[in-house]
Amino acid sequence: GEMRARVSWMLVLAVFLAFPRFQRERIEEMGFGEIFRIERMRVDSALTQALRSRWDAEATAFVFPWGHMIPSLEDVSRITGLKVYGKPVSGFTYPCYHDLAERLLELPVERRSSLVPRVVLQASLGLYEARKSAGESEDEYLEWLVRVSRRELASEPGAEADMDLRRFLILFLGRLLFATRGNAVHCRFLPLLEDLNEVGGYAWGAAFLVHPFDSLGASERQTSTSGFFPFLQVWAYLHLPALRRGDLTRPSLVPIAHHWDSRRDSRNLGDQLERLQEAIDSYPYLDVVWQPYLGEGDEGQPSLVQAHPYFGRSAKEQIDNWERREKAVNSDATTDDAYLQTYALKYGGKVYKSARHQDREAAQRQTVELRRELERVRSTGAGGASSSRGAGGSPSLLEAQLAGAVLRAEEAQRHLEEREMDLRLTTEHTMDLQGQRDQLQGEIQTTRSERDQLRIRAEAVEAQVAEATKELVALRVQGPPADQTEMVRLRTEVMAQQIRINELR
């Protein structure tokens, strides 16, 4: 996944740079230009996996010890520069794109298929051989890709230039912005590219926000995410800065992703992931940045100004046919404490884990520091002259004060450990009660279902009684004496059905 993301980023960037000026201006007008001002960023696989492990598909949000967090339309707009306003990115999904691909791309797509081969698509843009040579730097590799791509691209506006642009957009959307796992490129966006003048009117940023949600909730066995990887990385840099996974190297205007580089970590992936999980569990609550853009201006950025009315909305308000996939995090709690209690019940008390861990760790550090200082004072007093020790008695007084502080710190540490144990037992008891409540609710539901079935059967028998009574009355009024036997049978049947109704009730 990491290698695919790096290669895709390099290839798409190379074609963009190889385009003549008029083509790059068209891409700018479509709202994609900001993406290509982002420097090439290293993939942080450990950070991606750590975030993925915190994703709750039911709530469509990350579950952290301090509560739910979720990327927003403002995150997309500011981090990537993509438009979050405009027409929804929606339409029909065709079972086969063969004819459409031949007409709009002049590329082969197999019958009953939606995929265009990646190698064929790259070759149509001049990238016949995209392998990096041994010992070649990334800058040298990019320059070479730009040179070979430029040879195949139309240099003047016209039908050939339109074909080049559609091929590029399919590569950009299918391999970078909305990348999926696999080697081929999906053609699902092709109908939206038929009229190139309409491409800039779509809310690509809103569609982009939904894509990682689908990827994160796809399967618990998957450890990586698809799509444009810098987005989630920079989102974590901004909201969780104490993780220290990114370096702010280029402060400037949007896109904010242009500001950051991924910090190098020489440890193996397993060690990095373990450290990150521990860091999230013990993350200082006060260091969580809920509103990282308060100091960010929007002067000279008309697209950002236009996006302001959409900040605070969910992506489902932008893309109607994806409403099923995008859910807001809702809660009936009216206070923070009530929310956290409900949160703890749902997620097994993890919400309290970080606070308990931090308090206990702080108490342990304080105790260790006080003991170290006490030992230092004692060693200083033992090594000094008796005259200096007796002058004013200050070392002895300081030693006594430190000894008392150590005793108090140890007592506080024991108190915190006991409190942590009480909280754990209380949480476990609460979870047991929650399980019993759920079981009782299931039994109540079963009883209600059985009651409803009995009521339906009673109503059916009542209908039969009513019908038999009607026949009995008719026989009494109209029937000859020979029908007396039938009347007795019906009367007996009515009495039996009435008894059955009483039993069912």
Side-chain angles (χ1 to χ4, degrees):
E2 177 178 346
M3 181 59 68
R4 185 184 298 118
R6 290 173 57 191
V7 171
S8 298
W9 176 241
M10 190 72 74
L11 296 177
V12 172
L13 179 60
V15 179
F16 174 78
L17 296 175
F19 270 135
R21 180 183 295 275
F22 77 91
Q23 290 281 54
R24 293 200 299 271
E25 289 176 352
R26 295 173 79 183
I27 295 171
E28 291 273 0
E29 292 171 358
M30 292 174 179
F32 299 133
E34 300 284 3
I35 289 285
F36 298 102
R37 278 185 275 280
I38 299 173
E39 294 291 328
R40 300 188 302 278
M41 185 181 295
R42 287 185 297 273
V43 181
D44 192 339
S45 298
L47 179 59
T48 300
Q49 289 190 33
L51 291 175
R52 184 183 182 86
S53 68
R54 304 282 170 157
W55 184 256
D56 179 39
E58 181 184 355
T60 321
F62 293 111
V63 175
F64 293 118
W66 52 90
H68 291 105
M69 293 187 77
I70 186 171
S72 67
L73 289 171
E74 183 170 9
D75 291 317
V76 172
S77 182
R78 291 189 180 272
I79 292 174
T80 69
L82 290 170
K83 285 175 54 178
V84 298
Y85 56 90
K87 295 184 294 185
V89 180
S90 61
F92 294 104
T93 300
Y94 298 99
C96 174
Y97 289 81
H98 178 274
D99 296 336
L100 201 61
E102 282 196 342
R103 180 166 61 86
L104 297 180
L105 301 177
E106 293 186 358
L107 295 177
V109 172
E110 294 181 4
R111 288 287 181 184
R112 303 178 66 181
S113 173
S114 305
L115 307 174
V116 59
R118 176 186 57 83
V119 175
V120 173
L121 179 58
Q122 291 175 192
S124 71
L125 295 166
L127 303 176
Y128 296 95
E129 179 58 58
R131 291 188 178 181
K132 185 172 178 288
S133 302
E136 188 177 28
S137 70
E138 287 197 349
D139 288 338
E140 292 171 338
Y141 177 53
L142 180 61
E143 290 176 5
W144 176 78
L145 288 173
V146 171
R147 285 197 306 271
V148 298
S149 178
R150 187 171 288 150
R151 299 171 192 160
E152 296 293 325
L153 301 176
S155 59
E156 299 292 337
E160 288 298 319
D162 289 351
M163 189 75 68
D164 288 342
L165 186 53
R166 285 196 190 92
R167 290 169 176 173
F168 167 77
L169 290 174
I170 282 293
L171 180 67
F172 167 63
L173 296 173
R175 293 291 293 176
L176 189 67
L177 205 59
F178 301 98
T180 55
R181 294 170 181 84
N183 208 31
V185 182
H186 204 287
C187 294
R188 64 184 180 276
F189 295 111
L190 194 53
L192 304 181
L193 305 181
E194 184 165 6
D195 186 351
L196 291 171
N197 294 323
E198 296 292 324
V199 174
Y202 291 103
W204 294 103
F208 171 82
L209 180 60
V210 176
H211 183 70
F213 291 173
D214 283 346
S215 172
L216 287 163
S219 172
E220 293 184 357
R221 293 193 300 271
Q222 294 171 354
T223 56
S224 61
T225 59
S226 58
F228 187 57
F229 65 88
F231 174 66
L232 275 183
Q233 290 183 200
V234 175
W235 181 85
Y237 302 159
L238 292 170
H239 291 271
L240 308 176
L243 293 180
R244 296 183 175 85
R245 299 298 293 187
D247 290 319
L248 183 61
T249 56
R250 293 173 295 274
S252 61
L253 298 177
V254 294
I256 290 177
H258 182 66
H259 300 186
W260 294 85
D261 278 336
S262 176
R263 184 169 293 183
R264 292 187 180 276
D265 193 330
S266 58
R267 294 171 298 187
N268 64 57
L269 180 60
D271 288 344
Q272 291 184 52
L273 185 58
E274 183 179 356
R275 296 288 182 88
L276 269 173
Q277 298 286 22
E278 292 176 354
I280 292 174
D281 281 340
S282 58
Y283 196 91
Y285 294 171
L286 295 179
D287 287 349
V288 177
V289 180
W290 295 94
Q291 296 177 296
Y293 312 115
L294 290 179
E296 294 286 342
D298 51 18
E299 296 81 6
Q301 303 171 68
S303 62
L304 190 58
V305 174
Q306 288 178 274
H308 272 287
Y310 299 93
F311 295 162
R313 299 189 188 181
S314 68
K316 74 175 183 180
E317 294 179 79
Q318 296 291 88
I319 307 176
D320 294 335
N321 71 322
W322 285 357
E323 183 173 357
R324 176 182 59 80
R325 306 180 187 180
E326 226 287 67
K327 295 175 288 186
V329 178
N330 296 319
S331 174
D332 296 329
T334 56
T335 65
D336 289 346
D337 288 341
Y339 166 75
L340 291 176
Q341 289 173 7
T342 304
Y343 189 80
L345 283 174
K346 181 173 178 60
Y347 297 106
K350 291 181 181 178
V351 68
Y352 296 122
K353 179 179 179 182
S354 179
R356 294 197 306 267
H357 178 78
Q358 290 181 68
D359 291 343
R360 182 162 48 82
E361 288 291 325
Q364 288 175 345
R365 285 195 301 271
Q366 185 179 19
T367 302
V368 170
E369 290 171 1
L370 287 170
R371 284 174 178 163
R372 187 181 297 119
E373 182 64 17
L374 177 60
E375 291 299 322
R376 187 188 67 79
V377 169
R378 284 174 174 170
S379 62
T380 301
S386 59
S387 59
S388 64
R389 183 175 178 84
S394 56
S396 298
L397 178 60
L398 179 59
E399 183 177 330
Q401 291 174 338
L402 283 171
V406 168
L407 290 175
R408 288 192 296 273
E410 290 174 343
E411 180 63 26
Q413 183 177 335
R414 283 194 296 271
H415 174 72
L416 285 172
E417 290 172 351
E418 292 171 358
R419 184 168 173 267
E420 182 176 348
M421 177 65 72
D422 291 341
L423 282 172
R424 183 165 61 250
L425 293 174
T426 301
T427 301
E428 291 173 356
H429 179 62
T430 304
M431 295 304 295
D432 289 340
L433 291 176
Q434 178 80 8
Q436 293 174 20
R437 189 193 69 176
D438 293 342
Q439 182 179 354
L440 286 173
Q441 286 179 340
E443 293 174 357
I444 291 171
Q445 187 63 37
T446 301
T447 303
R448 286 175 177 170
S449 177
E450 293 174 351
R451 182 197 64 188
D452 292 340
Q453 292 176 8
L454 289 172
R455 179 177 52 79
I456 293 170
R457 288 164 60 188
E459 290 173 353
V461 174
E462 285 178 346
Q464 293 174 5
V465 169
E467 186 65 28
T469 302
K470 189 185 299 181
E471 293 180 17
L472 185 58
V473 171
L475 285 172
R476 283 176 177 170
V477 174
Q478 302 173 3
D483 290 333
Q484 290 299 318
T485 303
E486 180 65 15
M487 290 177 63
V488 171
R489 187 189 67 78
L490 284 172
R491 188 180 295 111
T492 303
E493 183 177 334
V494 168
M495 292 177 64
Q497 295 286 18
Q498 191 63 51
I499 292 171
R500 180 60 176 156
I501 291 173
N502 294 333
E503 291 176 351
L504 289 172
R505 284 176 174 168

